[in-house]
Amino acid sequence: MKADIRVALIGNPNTGKSSLFNILTGLNQKIGNFPGVTVDKKTGYTSLPDNRRAEIIDLPGTYSLYPKSKDESIVFSVLADKANPSRPDLLVVILDATNLKRNLLLYTQVADLKIPVIIALNMMDLADKAGMKIDIDLLAKRLGVPVIPICARKGSGIDKLKSAIAFANRIALQHDTIDAGALAPQLIARISEEIEVDNAYYALQLAHQHETVTFLTPEQSDRIESLEKEHSFQSQKVQAAETVARYNFINDVLYDAVHLPDTAHEESFSNKIDHILTHKVFGFVIFLGILLFIFQSIFAWSSYPMDLIESLFVLAEDSLRTLLPEGVVASLLIDGILAGLSGVLVFIPQIAILFIFISILEDTGYMARVTFMMDKLMRKVGLSGKSVVPLIGGFACAVPSIMGTRTIENWKDRMITIMVTPLVACSARLPVYTLLIALVVPDRNVWWIFNLQGLVLTGMYVFSLVSAFIVAFVFKFILKAKERGYFIMELPVYRMPRWKNVVFSMYDRSKTFVLEAGKVIIAVSIILWVLASYGPGDRFAAIEQKYNQPGYIQTTTPEELSRLIGSEKLENSYAGVLGHAIEPVIKPLGFDWKIGIALITSFAAREVFVGTMATIYSVDGDTDETESLKEKMDNARNTETGQPVFTVAVAFSLMIFYAFAMQCVSTVAIVYRETKAWKWPLIQLTYMTVLAYAASFITYNLLK
Amino acid sequence: MDLSQLKVGQSGVVKEFTDLEMSVKLMEMGCLPGETVQVTRIAPLGDPIAIKVSGYQLSLRKFEASTIILQ
């Protein structure tokens, strides 16, 4: 789509920037990447009163042009790089009217870059309610820009904002805010001359940020570095002086333009809630209660839509089978691609529900309190308060949780969180655990009320969290910090969730999950399908021939016959050969070659284990038939010793293996995407596999 | 006297910072020399703390608060 004007929204976090973006663009938005970095770029279109189309870009929320996190570092590059395809013609700075002073800092910075700018003054209703008086005309006059009061939550003032966008000047007319040139006069002059920039503040920003911006050549960056040495430029000192100068300017601007009431009403209401929600005892109790409620809901509410998705896939499978002639194409489509796809799509309900909850908790401001309460505890094991959310999300699925670690500013904290999140017992492990527990743990009550099977399952969940903490603690000493960690964070005022935002954010994240994980899963599913559908030499032909004998055809039903053929084919396929090949390696863990096959086929996704077991023990492929599968596995005997295959030792060894092993290609893919280097997913894959092997070995030998 | 020594409800006026790197970040968030800061609450485990500064609530770790010297 072609746009006549490109507009970027910029503002502090919690100012209603995403609300405004959603109102302006409606459903007409897409998520891409800023070139060269993994920062989501949200763009959309809106039509202006003069019938022109405007492309709207939502820049990551930031308090200043000096970036603290990965997301924020993109802002300056987009604004400053003249060749950047996302460079806006016009900036809309969104300011929170209830907190103008701090919000204006970012405005003064972008205004000095001399890009045309207008101000959207949001949350005017809250400012009114709090008894604040803002002289908008005076503000606009002092800054030299249009100031449009809006209320994004209620959607008021949007038409006026659109008109202002339509009639905005194409050249920057705002007043200068501070004398940027005076902060480092000689250096700025040299940089302006050599890099050919005509704006003093832009030159100063280059001096500060030349190492991180995407658009300077290495030579230019080196040149700036040596100029800085020459003029003994101290980035932090100059930055401190700049901030003080900016706040002096802001105080002058706000003088007489804003009248604050004696006591802020909204604040005290928020304070009252905080007394309870961050209380020494109740705070944790409520947090635990909310967590329990979320888990309950994830599992309770998702079962119906999950069944629905599953039956839709069964339907698609059946109709494809009748439509397509039996053969390679049908098998590839049904057993390869469709099966792989259903493995991903079936988790959408759980992921969507988890995201709804996380969005609500974020939107209301409660998540910031959780971070506040948990920081000390998490710091002890090398994590930060901000790691709590991804870890909790890990109980549903590691993929979206790892995507969510972008909010962690500190590099080391973020990497450790990414490293340990896949250890948390995700929902794909659940079918594996339930099957194995049902197999070896008796279904009876202990201490009257606790069901033994339930206790073991709960134990696996607790165990996963404990192991994540222990591994995090180890990584704390291995990883070298790139920068000092700090925890300077706004605690936003409590608000009702904005349901539109909640839905949008859920939709965005679910979509990313499907696209990111789906690609990899399908590719790996096809490889695994080849491994499981073809065998070396003429083994398959021999099997067909064997079961074609009249003896078999007469004594067994057609269904049973095809199951027997399926089972024997799997045994003789490449996957089966591999299973036999790895048997010596996994024997110390108590696993036979059949389990070996399942370990190989479930490499892409853990829950495939159950399906493969069903095929190997030639029961109906349907995973609902766990009862019959359980029976078969129960009766399975070792051919050499005649002992049962699935003893308590083997089952627990297997569960521990799945607890640690990275049997999830989607996670590997997402870790690569988030870290932009194969090094990290490889380290993760290695440590988890080693840990899984060692822990299984110990478990098996202890219980044997 | 530094900010980490204040009790809940007590307030003071920022005088200076002992840590340049931290000061840059704090000042960006509106915590500047001359500003009044008030401790509004302390996290259940004793760290971090929350302060009221320039009209909003900011949380920071005790160590970070100890780099803020009060008048």
Side-chain angles (χ1 to χ4, degrees), chain A residues 453-474:
Chain A
Q453 293 187 334
L455 275 182
V456 174
L457 188 62
T458 315
M460 290 307 294
Y461 275 87
V462 175
F463 176 74
S464 77
L465 211 51
V466 172
S467 50
F469 284 146
I470 293 172
V471 172
F473 188 70
V474 174

PDB file of all heavy atoms in Angstrom, chain A residues 453-474:
ATOM      1  N   GLN A 453      -1.180 -39.836  42.090  1.00  0.00           N
ATOM      2  CA  GLN A 453      -0.810 -39.450  40.729  1.00  0.00           C
ATOM      3  C   GLN A 453      -0.722 -37.933  40.592  1.00  0.00           C
ATOM      4  O   GLN A 453       0.202 -37.391  39.987  1.00  0.00           O
ATOM      5  CB  GLN A 453      -1.829 -40.008  39.730  1.00  0.00           C
ATOM      6  CG  GLN A 453      -1.794 -41.525  39.664  1.00  0.00           C
ATOM      7  CD  GLN A 453      -2.681 -42.072  38.556  1.00  0.00           C
ATOM      8  OE1 GLN A 453      -3.644 -41.432  38.156  1.00  0.00           O
ATOM      9  NE2 GLN A 453      -2.359 -43.259  38.076  1.00  0.00           N
ATOM     10  N   GLY A 454      -1.717 -37.260  41.190  1.00  0.00           N
ATOM     11  CA  GLY A 454      -1.720 -35.795  41.147  1.00  0.00           C
ATOM     12  C   GLY A 454      -0.499 -35.223  41.849  1.00  0.00           C
ATOM     13  O   GLY A 454       0.102 -34.249  41.391  1.00  0.00           O
ATOM     14  N   LEU A 455      -0.124 -35.860  42.966  1.00  0.00           N
ATOM     15  CA  LEU A 455       1.039 -35.387  43.715  1.00  0.00           C
ATOM     16  C   LEU A 455       2.309 -35.502  42.874  1.00  0.00           C
ATOM     17  O   LEU A 455       3.141 -34.595  42.868  1.00  0.00           O
ATOM     18  CB  LEU A 455       1.204 -36.205  44.996  1.00  0.00           C
ATOM     19  CG  LEU A 455       0.398 -35.742  46.201  1.00  0.00           C
ATOM     20  CD1 LEU A 455       0.706 -36.624  47.395  1.00  0.00           C
ATOM     21  CD2 LEU A 455       0.694 -34.288  46.516  1.00  0.00           C
ATOM     22  N   VAL A 456       2.449 -36.625  42.177  1.00  0.00           N
ATOM     23  CA  VAL A 456       3.642 -36.814  41.356  1.00  0.00           C
ATOM     24  C   VAL A 456       3.686 -35.761  40.243  1.00  0.00           C
ATOM     25  O   VAL A 456       4.725 -35.162  39.975  1.00  0.00           O
ATOM     26  CB  VAL A 456       3.680 -38.236  40.753  1.00  0.00           C
ATOM     27  CG1 VAL A 456       4.845 -38.368  39.775  1.00  0.00           C
ATOM     28  CG2 VAL A 456       3.819 -39.264  41.855  1.00  0.00           C
ATOM     29  N   LEU A 457       2.519 -35.503  39.633  1.00  0.00           N
ATOM     30  CA  LEU A 457       2.463 -34.504  38.565  1.00  0.00           C
ATOM     31  C   LEU A 457       2.840 -33.123  39.103  1.00  0.00           C
ATOM     32  O   LEU A 457       3.652 -32.403  38.516  1.00  0.00           O
ATOM     33  CB  LEU A 457       1.069 -34.474  37.936  1.00  0.00           C
ATOM     34  CG  LEU A 457       0.935 -33.607  36.690  1.00  0.00           C
ATOM     35  CD1 LEU A 457       1.829 -34.110  35.578  1.00  0.00           C
ATOM     36  CD2 LEU A 457      -0.502 -33.553  36.207  1.00  0.00           C
ATOM     37  N   THR A 458       2.253 -32.764  40.249  1.00  0.00           N
ATOM     38  CA  THR A 458       2.597 -31.488  40.870  1.00  0.00           C
ATOM     39  C   THR A 458       4.095 -31.448  41.153  1.00  0.00           C
ATOM     40  O   THR A 458       4.753 -30.430  40.948  1.00  0.00           O
ATOM     41  CB  THR A 458       1.826 -31.296  42.181  1.00  0.00           C
ATOM     42  OG1 THR A 458       0.472 -31.656  41.947  1.00  0.00           O
ATOM     43  CG2 THR A 458       1.907 -29.874  42.666  1.00  0.00           C
ATOM     44  N   GLY A 459       4.610 -32.594  41.614  1.00  0.00           N
ATOM     45  CA  GLY A 459       6.033 -32.696  41.899  1.00  0.00           C
ATOM     46  C   GLY A 459       6.874 -32.368  40.671  1.00  0.00           C
ATOM     47  O   GLY A 459       7.865 -31.648  40.766  1.00  0.00           O
ATOM     48  N   MET A 460       6.451 -32.860  39.521  1.00  0.00           N
ATOM     49  CA  MET A 460       7.191 -32.588  38.288  1.00  0.00           C
ATOM     50  C   MET A 460       7.194 -31.085  37.968  1.00  0.00           C
ATOM     51  O   MET A 460       8.182 -30.549  37.493  1.00  0.00           O
ATOM     52  CB  MET A 460       6.576 -33.356  37.113  1.00  0.00           C
ATOM     53  CG  MET A 460       6.766 -34.861  37.135  1.00  0.00           C
ATOM     54  SD  MET A 460       8.476 -35.405  37.327  1.00  0.00           S
ATOM     55  CE  MET A 460       9.208 -34.833  35.791  1.00  0.00           C
ATOM     56  N   TYR A 461       6.064 -30.422  38.241  1.00  0.00           N
ATOM     57  CA  TYR A 461       5.986 -28.988  37.983  1.00  0.00           C
ATOM     58  C   TYR A 461       6.905 -28.217  38.913  1.00  0.00           C
ATOM     59  O   TYR A 461       7.644 -27.327  38.490  1.00  0.00           O
ATOM     60  CB  TYR A 461       4.539 -28.495  38.131  1.00  0.00           C
ATOM     61  CG  TYR A 461       3.734 -28.677  36.879  1.00  0.00           C
ATOM     62  CD1 TYR A 461       3.065 -29.863  36.628  1.00  0.00           C
ATOM     63  CD2 TYR A 461       3.644 -27.673  35.935  1.00  0.00           C
ATOM     64  CE1 TYR A 461       2.330 -30.045  35.466  1.00  0.00           C
ATOM     65  CE2 TYR A 461       2.923 -27.843  34.768  1.00  0.00           C
ATOM     66  CZ  TYR A 461       2.264 -29.030  34.540  1.00  0.00           C
ATOM     67  OH  TYR A 461       1.559 -29.205  33.382  1.00  0.00           O
ATOM     68  N   VAL A 462       6.849 -28.546  40.202  1.00  0.00           N
ATOM     69  CA  VAL A 462       7.700 -27.857  41.175  1.00  0.00           C
ATOM     70  C   VAL A 462       9.167 -28.115  40.834  1.00  0.00           C
ATOM     71  O   VAL A 462       9.994 -27.205  40.834  1.00  0.00           O
ATOM     72  CB  VAL A 462       7.374 -28.325  42.605  1.00  0.00           C
ATOM     73  CG1 VAL A 462       8.340 -27.709  43.602  1.00  0.00           C
ATOM     74  CG2 VAL A 462       5.937 -27.972  42.954  1.00  0.00           C
ATOM     75  N   PHE A 463       9.458 -29.387  40.517  1.00  0.00           N
ATOM     76  CA  PHE A 463      10.814 -29.782  40.168  1.00  0.00           C
ATOM     77  C   PHE A 463      11.346 -28.937  39.008  1.00  0.00           C
ATOM     78  O   PHE A 463      12.508 -28.509  39.001  1.00  0.00           O
ATOM     79  CB  PHE A 463      10.817 -31.269  39.794  1.00  0.00           C
ATOM     80  CG  PHE A 463      12.141 -31.783  39.318  1.00  0.00           C
ATOM     81  CD1 PHE A 463      13.174 -31.994  40.222  1.00  0.00           C
ATOM     82  CD2 PHE A 463      12.347 -32.064  37.986  1.00  0.00           C
ATOM     83  CE1 PHE A 463      14.393 -32.455  39.789  1.00  0.00           C
ATOM     84  CE2 PHE A 463      13.573 -32.535  37.543  1.00  0.00           C
ATOM     85  CZ  PHE A 463      14.598 -32.730  38.447  1.00  0.00           C
ATOM     86  N   SER A 464      10.479 -28.674  38.015  1.00  0.00           N
ATOM     87  CA  SER A 464      10.926 -27.914  36.846  1.00  0.00           C
ATOM     88  C   SER A 464      11.329 -26.499  37.248  1.00  0.00           C
ATOM     89  O   SER A 464      12.332 -25.968  36.773  1.00  0.00           O
ATOM     90  CB  SER A 464       9.824 -27.876  35.787  1.00  0.00           C
ATOM     91  OG  SER A 464       8.823 -26.955  36.130  1.00  0.00           O
ATOM     92  N   LEU A 465      10.549 -25.906  38.146  1.00  0.00           N
ATOM     93  CA  LEU A 465      10.853 -24.542  38.570  1.00  0.00           C
ATOM     94  C   LEU A 465      12.152 -24.510  39.369  1.00  0.00           C
ATOM     95  O   LEU A 465      13.006 -23.640  39.178  1.00  0.00           O
ATOM     96  CB  LEU A 465       9.684 -24.012  39.416  1.00  0.00           C
ATOM     97  CG  LEU A 465       9.406 -22.523  39.350  1.00  0.00           C
ATOM     98  CD1 LEU A 465       9.308 -22.048  37.913  1.00  0.00           C
ATOM     99  CD2 LEU A 465       8.133 -22.187  40.105  1.00  0.00           C
ATOM    100  N   VAL A 466      12.307 -25.510  40.259  1.00  0.00           N
ATOM    101  CA  VAL A 466      13.515 -25.577  41.076  1.00  0.00           C
ATOM    102  C   VAL A 466      14.744 -25.748  40.180  1.00  0.00           C
ATOM    103  O   VAL A 466      15.756 -25.069  40.355  1.00  0.00           O
ATOM    104  CB  VAL A 466      13.410 -26.739  42.098  1.00  0.00           C
ATOM    105  CG1 VAL A 466      14.736 -26.943  42.816  1.00  0.00           C
ATOM    106  CG2 VAL A 466      12.301 -26.452  43.096  1.00  0.00           C
ATOM    107  N   SER A 467      14.640 -26.627  39.176  1.00  0.00           N
ATOM    108  CA  SER A 467      15.813 -26.836  38.323  1.00  0.00           C
ATOM    109  C   SER A 467      16.109 -25.592  37.504  1.00  0.00           C
ATOM    110  O   SER A 467      17.277 -25.273  37.253  1.00  0.00           O
ATOM    111  CB  SER A 467      15.644 -28.068  37.438  1.00  0.00           C
ATOM    112  OG  SER A 467      14.420 -28.032  36.781  1.00  0.00           O
ATOM    113  N   ALA A 468      15.065 -24.846  37.105  1.00  0.00           N
ATOM    114  CA  ALA A 468      15.303 -23.591  36.377  1.00  0.00           C
ATOM    115  C   ALA A 468      16.095 -22.625  37.260  1.00  0.00           C
ATOM    116  O   ALA A 468      17.030 -21.965  36.798  1.00  0.00           O
ATOM    117  CB  ALA A 468      13.989 -22.957  35.942  1.00  0.00           C
ATOM    118  N   PHE A 469      15.734 -22.554  38.543  1.00  0.00           N
ATOM    119  CA  PHE A 469      16.442 -21.644  39.455  1.00  0.00           C
ATOM    120  C   PHE A 469      17.889 -22.085  39.642  1.00  0.00           C
ATOM    121  O   PHE A 469      18.800 -21.262  39.647  1.00  0.00           O
ATOM    122  CB  PHE A 469      15.738 -21.585  40.809  1.00  0.00           C
ATOM    123  CG  PHE A 469      14.482 -20.765  40.789  1.00  0.00           C
ATOM    124  CD1 PHE A 469      13.387 -21.105  41.565  1.00  0.00           C
ATOM    125  CD2 PHE A 469      14.393 -19.647  39.977  1.00  0.00           C
ATOM    126  CE1 PHE A 469      12.221 -20.353  41.531  1.00  0.00           C
ATOM    127  CE2 PHE A 469      13.236 -18.886  39.938  1.00  0.00           C
ATOM    128  CZ  PHE A 469      12.148 -19.239  40.713  1.00  0.00           C
ATOM    129  N   ILE A 470      18.097 -23.400  39.788  1.00  0.00           N
ATOM    130  CA  ILE A 470      19.464 -23.888  40.013  1.00  0.00           C
ATOM    131  C   ILE A 470      20.335 -23.602  38.788  1.00  0.00           C
ATOM    132  O   ILE A 470      21.450 -23.095  38.906  1.00  0.00           O
ATOM    133  CB  ILE A 470      19.455 -25.403  40.333  1.00  0.00           C
ATOM    134  CG1 ILE A 470      18.764 -25.622  41.687  1.00  0.00           C
ATOM    135  CG2 ILE A 470      20.882 -25.944  40.373  1.00  0.00           C
ATOM    136  CD1 ILE A 470      18.525 -27.074  42.033  1.00  0.00           C
ATOM    137  N   VAL A 471      19.787 -23.896  37.607  1.00  0.00           N
ATOM    138  CA  VAL A 471      20.567 -23.652  36.387  1.00  0.00           C
ATOM    139  C   VAL A 471      20.843 -22.151  36.232  1.00  0.00           C
ATOM    140  O   VAL A 471      21.947 -21.742  35.860  1.00  0.00           O
ATOM    141  CB  VAL A 471      19.834 -24.209  35.148  1.00  0.00           C
ATOM    142  CG1 VAL A 471      20.544 -23.786  33.876  1.00  0.00           C
ATOM    143  CG2 VAL A 471      19.749 -25.719  35.221  1.00  0.00           C
ATOM    144  N   ALA A 472      19.847 -21.311  36.555  1.00  0.00           N
ATOM    145  CA  ALA A 472      20.043 -19.863  36.480  1.00  0.00           C
ATOM    146  C   ALA A 472      21.189 -19.450  37.392  1.00  0.00           C
ATOM    147  O   ALA A 472      22.038 -18.627  37.034  1.00  0.00           O
ATOM    148  CB  ALA A 472      18.756 -19.135  36.871  1.00  0.00           C
ATOM    149  N   PHE A 473      21.222 -20.042  38.583  1.00  0.00           N
ATOM    150  CA  PHE A 473      22.255 -19.722  39.561  1.00  0.00           C
ATOM    151  C   PHE A 473      23.637 -20.065  39.002  1.00  0.00           C
ATOM    152  O   PHE A 473      24.604 -19.324  39.200  1.00  0.00           O
ATOM    153  CB  PHE A 473      21.981 -20.507  40.850  1.00  0.00           C
ATOM    154  CG  PHE A 473      22.863 -20.109  41.993  1.00  0.00           C
ATOM    155  CD1 PHE A 473      22.712 -18.874  42.600  1.00  0.00           C
ATOM    156  CD2 PHE A 473      23.838 -20.970  42.450  1.00  0.00           C
ATOM    157  CE1 PHE A 473      23.526 -18.498  43.652  1.00  0.00           C
ATOM    158  CE2 PHE A 473      24.662 -20.606  43.504  1.00  0.00           C
ATOM    159  CZ  PHE A 473      24.501 -19.372  44.102  1.00  0.00           C
ATOM    160  N   VAL A 474      23.718 -21.185  38.287  1.00  0.00           N
ATOM    161  CA  VAL A 474      25.000 -21.585  37.691  1.00  0.00           C
ATOM    162  C   VAL A 474      25.397 -20.607  36.583  1.00  0.00           C
ATOM    163  O   VAL A 474      26.534 -20.146  36.516  1.00  0.00           O
ATOM    164  CB  VAL A 474      24.912 -23.031  37.137  1.00  0.00           C
ATOM    165  CG1 VAL A 474      26.194 -23.389  36.391  1.00  0.00           C
ATOM    166  CG2 VAL A 474      24.669 -24.013  38.267  1.00  0.00           C
TER     167      VAL A 474
END
